[in-house]
Structure formats: C-alpha cells, structure tokens
Amino acid sequence: MNLRDEIETLIRAWDAYETGHGGSPIVDFDCAPGRNTAEPAADRLSIYRRLTELRAGATGALADRLDADLAYLGALLGERRPLDDYVRATQGCGTAGWPDEYVEERAEQARAACADLGIGWGDRTNAELREAEGLLDVSEAPDAIRQATEELEPVVREATGSTAPYRLTIETADVDAYWAYWLDGAGQDVRLRLNLPNVEFTQTGARQFALHEVLGHGLQSASFTAQAEAEDVPWVRLFSIHAPLQVMAEGIAQAWPLFLLPEDKVLIARLRLSHYSQLILAEVHRAINDGTPVGECADYVRTAVPWWTDKIIARYLTDRGADIQHRSYMWSYPAGFDWFVALAEAGGDVSRKVLQAAYRAPLTPTDLADLWPDGPVVGGPGSPVRLGKPPVF
C-alpha cells in the first residue's frame, strides 16, 4: 500500500470513529468510494500518533493534507494554536486580513449595486434585495435549482473544460447551524441539502445556489472523481473542510456569478453584498481570536451589517471563536471569495487558466498563487488586528 492509500485508510478509520461517537464527519466528499476501507479507529490519540508517523515520510500534497489533519485533530484533543498558525496548517493561507480602506471600497461597491436597484442601506437592505430577487416558496426550491442548473451547466462546463457526469439528489433538513445549503457526496453522486430554518428562497437564489452548490462544489467534486479514476493522482481523494482545498472550493463557488453573469444586476448586487459581509466577518474572526470582548465584536458587526439580527451575529461569532472545526473552515470563505473576485475582475487568460485547473485537481492557496503570481495575497495583504470604524452609509 502506497502512502496516499495509507493516509486514506487512516482518514476513513478516523471518520468512522467520529461519526460513530456523534461527531462531525471527517470526509465530506469521497472521490474514491469503496477504496481503502477501514474499521473505526479505537480513539483519537491513536489516530494522531499514526498521522504523525505518516507525516515523517510525506512531501507535497500529502504533507499538506497531513499537516491539516494533525492540526485539526490536535484541536479536537484540546490544542489551541494561535489563529494564524491554525489556519495556515488547515486552510493553507494566513490570516493577515484586509486594510480598512479596502473594506470600505468593497462596501461602497455593495452599496452602489444595491442603490442601482433602488435599495437603501440599513436594517431593510437584505429584505428589500430578497424582494428584488423574486421570492419563492421553499417547496419550489428543488425544481427551481434543477432548472437553473440545467440552464447554467453548459456555461460552467465551457469555462472549466469539465465533462464529468454527476447525479444530483436534493433533500431537506432541519439543523441548528449557520448553513442554508450543504453539499456532500461520493463519486458521481451529489447530495444537496436545504436547511429549512435558514432558507429564504428566491428566483435569483436558485441561480446563485445552482452555481455555488451544484455546479461549484458538486460538478467540481465529480470532476476530481473522474480525474482520480483516469490516473493515479498524487492527492488524497477524501475531501474535508479542515483541509487546504477549501479556499479554492469556497472561493470559486461564491464568485461564479461574476465570471458568468456579470450583467445580472440583482445577482451581482447579492454577490457584492456577500463579499463585503465576508470581509466584515473576517475582521471579527481575527478580533475574537485575539481576545477582543464579544460585545465589541457584536457591536462592530451590527453597525457594519445592520440587517443581521443578534441571533445571526451570535452564530457567526460562535463559529469563529468557539467551534473547533469552523474556527478553521470559516476563514476559507473570505479568503477564497476575495481572491476569486479579484480574478474575475482581472479576467483574461489567467482567469481561464485558473478555472480549468480548479476542475482538474484540488488546488491549495499556494497552487493559486503559482497560477497567478500577480494576484492578491490569499487571506489578505495585512492589517492590524483591531476593529476599526465600520462603513456606514
């Protein structure tokens, strides 16, 4: 058994242990279903020791993956690394953050995009944008997503060069978590779950989530499966949200509308608002891990994003400060989103090169930087860990 297969066998044993004890799954998408199967591990510490042994002989993509696994499992065992160290080990990028001036620039883009639709900036911004998007009953969501997927799939395939098949299943869930939509699966089987308590469904939202979940995560993962079936790939074929492919995966999924539908004013307004919101969450992600009191963090978010309720803000703060898994994973959203927005705005040959590479292999932030050396720093160019004055219009 080669090193990659040993790693996969151990990850499967770890996944079986966690799910068997009520924990979060380790494997979120399986690109090698039925391969390197394993019995549940006996305990976390034995897994940690074996990961450490395998790391001694690993290089390249396998070393990156083992570093992420060791950091995340170490956190589950009680280790509390500084945020930047933890995110570098798991997501593969730093947490330097973005200057206030840059956040203000992106805020102005979002404000202007909303104003172009006659939408003001305040506690009604999101509700008014939802109305502009065309409200739908949640029962209409599966059909709307499938229709949007059918319309947009040829454009995504042309942009990425992917010919991989996939089979989509849409289910509903009722989970107390931040997410409204979640995608996982194995091989060519893709499952999209709609978390009913958090779903506010719209016609524009159908296009957004067809791009994000189905044609972003789903088609991308199925494409990796097809690549893994065609050749002996050098990367671990089990994907986890604590590992360094997530910056690429979440970045491209969030930014797809800017690449493909830049003339859709309503959808682009939603994208600009989401991009700005993620930059605000990045600020409090760093601040709460640096010891800033939770009240100051909450006040900053409430001023910067006045349409979010205390319930929403509490969830976001908990995810970024107290949740071991999300303390890593949530950074992939602003880091990846910002990088891919910049790529879409740059356009040209580099954009096409990155999009096609991103559907052939799971890219790390280092891979992204190699593909676009002139691009922005993944995770931000640097800013003091402090909560400045949020943009107010």
Side-chain angles (χ1 to χ4, degrees), residues 41-350:
D43 57 78
R44 286 173 172 169
L45 189 56
S46 63
I47 302 165
Y48 186 89
R49 286 175 171 153
R50 183 57 182 148
L51 286 170
T52 302
E53 292 171 357
L54 294 176
R55 177 62 180 88
T59 59
L62 298 183
D64 290 342
R65 176 56 197 258
L66 287 169
D67 285 342
D69 290 331
L70 283 165
Y72 176 53
L73 182 51
L76 290 176
L77 287 165
E79 189 175 75
R80 179 77 177 187
R81 298 192 191 189
L83 180 66
D84 192 73
D85 290 350
Y86 185 48
V87 171
R88 282 187 186 277
T90 52
Q91 300 301 322
C93 68
T95 59
W98 293 265
D100 292 345
E101 297 77 14
Y102 180 76
V103 177
E104 291 170 4
E105 176 186 330
R106 292 304 189 179
E108 175 56 30
Q109 276 188 319
R111 187 207 63 79
C114 289
D116 196 36
L117 300 173
I119 296 171
W121 192 270
D123 58 5
R124 287 278 303 161
T125 298
N126 185 63
E128 291 176 10
L129 183 53
R130 288 288 183 195
E131 292 173 5
E133 290 174 338
L135 293 170
L136 293 175
D137 188 271
V138 69
S139 64
E140 301 175 84
D143 287 343
I145 291 173
R146 288 184 183 278
Q147 182 179 345
T149 299
E150 184 178 335
E151 293 172 358
L152 294 168
E153 185 172 333
V155 189
V156 173
R157 288 190 182 276
E158 193 281 330
T160 61
S162 174
T163 59
Y166 67 92
R167 293 176 292 271
L168 174 65
T169 300
I170 301 178
E171 301 176 357
T172 58
D174 189 338
V175 180
D176 181 19
Y178 75 94
W179 57 272
Y181 306 81
W182 190 267
L183 187 133
D184 56 16
Q188 270 78 43
D189 291 311
V190 173
R191 179 180 68 159
L192 174 62
R193 286 186 290 165
L194 310 179
N195 192 16
L196 296 181
N198 293 349
V199 171
E200 295 178 286
F201 209 74
T202 67
Q203 293 174 355
T204 297
R207 294 193 295 278
Q208 180 184 15
F209 289 106
L211 287 172
H212 186 129
E213 301 291 353
V214 183
L215 301 172
H217 299 325
L219 178 59
Q220 189 176 53
S221 298
S223 300
F224 295 155
T225 295
Q227 196 72 19
E229 291 173 346
E231 62 178 275
D232 190 24
V233 296
W235 35 267
V236 170
R237 298 168 295 180
L238 308 175
F239 298 152
S240 304
I241 62 174
H242 67 262
L245 81 154
Q246 287 303 321
V247 167
M248 176 272 295
E250 295 299 347
I252 196 171
Q254 293 174 101
W256 260 132
L258 205 55
F259 288 98
L260 303 179
L261 301 170
E263 303 305 318
D264 186 331
K265 289 186 176 182
V266 177
L267 181 53
I268 297 305
R270 172 60 63 188
L271 180 145
R272 296 295 188 191
L273 206 62
S274 297
H275 181 203
Y276 161 69
S277 299
Q278 285 296 337
L279 293 175
I280 293 298
L281 289 173
E283 290 297 294
V284 296
H285 195 148
R286 298 195 312 143
I288 201 165
N289 279 277
D290 194 55
T292 302
V294 69
E296 292 182 24
C297 292
D299 290 345
Y300 175 83
V301 177
R302 191 59 185 270
T303 301
V305 192
W307 51 93
W308 282 347
T309 64
D310 281 353
K311 180 180 179 180
I312 292 171
I313 294 169
R315 167 62 68 180
Y316 287 152
L317 293 176
T318 301
D319 281 343
R320 286 155 181 81
D323 189 294
I324 290 169
Q325 185 180 64
H326 290 167
R327 183 173 180 249
S328 159
Y329 174 49
M330 290 294 101
W331 188 260
S332 71
Y333 282 83
F337 201 173
D338 187 72
W339 196 89
F340 274 94
V341 164
L343 180 68
E345 292 170 343
D349 291 341
V350 66

